[in-house]
Every structure is written in structure tokens, then in C-alpha cells.
Amino acid sequence: MRDAVGSFVGWPSDLIFPDAETPTRPTHKVGKGILRRIESVASQKEVPGRKLKSAAKDIPTTSGTKSQIMMRLEKMVDESDIMHGAIRSIDFDEGVFGAAHFEIIAKEDFQQLFEHTELGIAVIHTYIWYMYVTLMRGTELCNRFNFIAASRINATLITNNPTSVKNDLVDRFMAAGDNTTPSLYFLPFNSGNGGHWVLVAMDLSRLIVYYLDSLSGDWSKYPNMKKTVDAAIIKFRSKKNYRNRKDITWVRVQCPQQNNSVDCGFFVLRFMRDIIALNRIDIPKMYFEEYKSYSRANLDEIKDELCQFIVDQRII
């Protein structure tokens, strides 16, 4: 159950202020619902890697309105025991986070999609699973892109036990091979207690860490995070007997910026999606020409893809 550590406690919407994001989920008691453990449809058989596509490419959608696939999933949830406190516990492919992982999804998580509110860990992780199954598995992209569970490494955990977090990072690096060729480790990082989401992308072979924040500022806002990441990279290279040829370089990427107080989680998912789809290990400091900004339609695409995936996996 340690993957549940770091889950966030939600805050009433009337107490959310524009300058303080709270992408969290309310707590819920498992005993009140029906725990239905599901092995994903995708994990039951090999699914060849294929290009990432819009989950609802033939479903018309208008920015700010609900697509047909979202309304279909919303109806399924409304008619299920989830509305009465039941939850779903879903097994992910081990390749997603480099080890066995399960995610608990509840009513509050679906509402984040349906109502376009701050995203919590469960939605972030489930979309990562979607990208792994849809775009990466069975292809060489698995050797180029890796994911780190946000439930294992966030500001709250670093404050409470930085050594444990550092060791968890090292274990994740060790699980992926020698890391002597360029690849990226994606860490969706939360500032703690339901705060802001940023993306940290680490290239261990070139000792480069890319920092993508949809709000202004850089990693200096999270000095303990930077210290922990740097220490983990150095320890990993020491365990592998790699020579530290140079200092670790952090690059603040001039990425698309959000214009409200709720979209940071959606932006982090979109950053990962586009980097993988473009198959780019080197992230330009001025970001990609193809994606200088993200519209609401770009974020709605994330939601539709995830809604279609949840339906396809028969999670409900």
C-alpha cells in the first residue's frame, strides 16, 4: 500500500483562490465501497506499440463542452456503484513505473475529468498508463522514456524523509538498465499538500534535467526537490561506477503557460504526451515549434483520450 502514500486531501472549491492550486482528491474510506480489483484488459495480452491518436477522433467536440465519449463515461459512472462510494483498484503493467503498481480510482477522480478541475495523483497515473499502453509498449520508445510514480516522490515526502525518496529514485533508475544511452525519466512533481504540478524530465546519460512549469518560476521554488534529484543521480552513477564527467545541468524550458489556477496537471500530461509523440529526448529550451501554446481543445483531447481508454479497459 505504500504507493498510496502521498495521496492528497482535497479542499472545498469555494476555498480555492486563483493563486493557490489544489490538485488533490478527497479522502474516502475503502470500507464504505466495493473494492473490485481489476487486471487491465491491456495487461492480459500484448498490445503492439502504435502511434498516439486522439481517443475520440471521430467524435466531434467543442472546446469547453463535453464530448460524446465523456458523456458516455459519465453516464456509466452515474449508473454504477461508484456513485455510492465504491472504488476500483487497477493493476498497471510493471513496465509503467518499473515495478508492480496498482491505482485506486474513485468518484472524485472521475469528477476531475468531467468537471475540469484540479487533477490528483490517480488521474495523472492513469493517463501515464494510457500513454504507456497506447504509444510505447512493444516499441523502442520503452528504452527512451520512463515514468516515475508521483505518489513516491513529492514535496511532502521529501520533507518527511528525503533519504527514502532519494533511494526510491535510485531504485527506479536501476530498474531501467544501464542508462548509458540518452533517455528521459518523467517525474510529475507536486509541490505538496495538493499544490502545483510541474514536470521534471531527467536525462541520466548527459546529466541534464529539464524543468517544465506552466506557471512562471524555476526549480528554485523547490530547493529540496532539486537537491534530492541531484543526489539520486549522483548515487546512481556511483553505484554503476560511471564517472561524473561534469556537473548536473538544469534547464528551465520556456513551455506553454496556463491562464487559470486549475490546469497545471493537464499541462504536465500534455508535456509528456507531446515529448513522447515527437520522440524527442532533447527538449528545446524554447520548447517545440509545434506546441508553443496549448488551447482548451488541446487539454480536452487529454480528457477524451483518457475517457475512451477507461471505457476500453472496462474499468467501470
Side-chain angles (χ1 to χ4, degrees), residues 29-48:
K29 294 183 179 179
V30 174
K32 286 186 176 180
I34 301 171
L35 178 61
R36 189 167 81 188
R37 193 166 184 82
I38 300 172
E39 181 183 10
S40 73
V41 174
S43 69
Q44 296 172 13
K45 60 182 180 179
E46 285 300 317
V47 179

Side-chain angles (χ1 to χ4, degrees), residues 140-313:
E140 57 91 23
L141 292 176
C142 285
N143 298 321
R144 291 174 62 80
F145 302 102
N146 304 277
F147 302 105
I148 299 168
S151 57
R152 305 288 289 277
I153 300 168
N154 56 61
T156 301
L157 295 177
I158 290 174
T159 299
N160 294 336
N161 196 338
T163 300
S164 176
V165 173
K166 178 186 69 175
N167 291 336
D168 275 348
L169 260 179
V170 173
D171 290 343
R172 179 64 183 102
F173 298 155
M174 296 292 289
D178 59 12
N179 292 289
T180 56
T181 57
S183 63
L184 285 181
Y185 286 82
F186 291 123
L187 168 61
F189 179 80
N190 191 272
S191 61
N193 295 321
H196 179 56
W197 288 102
V198 301
L199 179 64
V200 178
M202 296 162 268
D203 181 344
L204 304 187
S205 67
R206 297 185 298 172
L207 294 179
I208 297 174
V209 179
Y210 298 99
Y211 180 88
L212 293 86
D213 189 345
S214 56
L215 292 177
S216 59
D218 60 19
W219 53 84
S220 62
K221 293 188 292 185
Y222 314 113
N224 290 337
M225 178 272 288
K226 181 181 184 299
K227 180 179 179 180
T228 301
V229 168
D230 286 347
I233 293 174
I234 292 171
K235 182 175 180 179
F236 163 74
R237 294 184 64 84
S238 175
K239 292 185 71 171
K240 284 288 192 176
N241 293 319
Y242 297 153
R243 179 178 300 175
N244 289 318
R245 304 179 307 277
K246 57 181 180 178
D247 293 335
I248 299 169
T249 300
W250 283 66
V251 177
R252 181 192 171 200
V253 178
Q254 304 296 315
C255 54
Q257 299 289 285
Q258 66 188 85
N259 59 8
N260 59 29
S261 62
V262 301
D263 278 348
C264 58
F266 293 102
F267 271 67
V268 164
L269 295 180
R270 188 79 205 198
F271 293 152
M272 291 188 287
R273 177 196 193 274
D274 292 338
I275 293 167
I276 295 172
L278 293 171
N279 194 9
R280 291 286 297 275
I281 298 299
D282 56 318
I283 305 175
K285 187 173 183 179
M286 302 306 294
Y287 205 55
F288 304 108
E289 288 295 330
E290 296 91 336
Y291 302 107
K292 287 299 186 182
S293 64
Y294 289 146
S295 66
R296 175 60 185 267
N298 293 138
L299 306 186
D300 287 345
E301 188 174 18
I302 295 287
K303 295 186 292 185
D304 288 345
E305 289 170 346
L306 186 51
C307 287
Q308 184 69 63
F309 185 67
I310 290 171
V311 170
D312 291 344
Q313 296 299 306

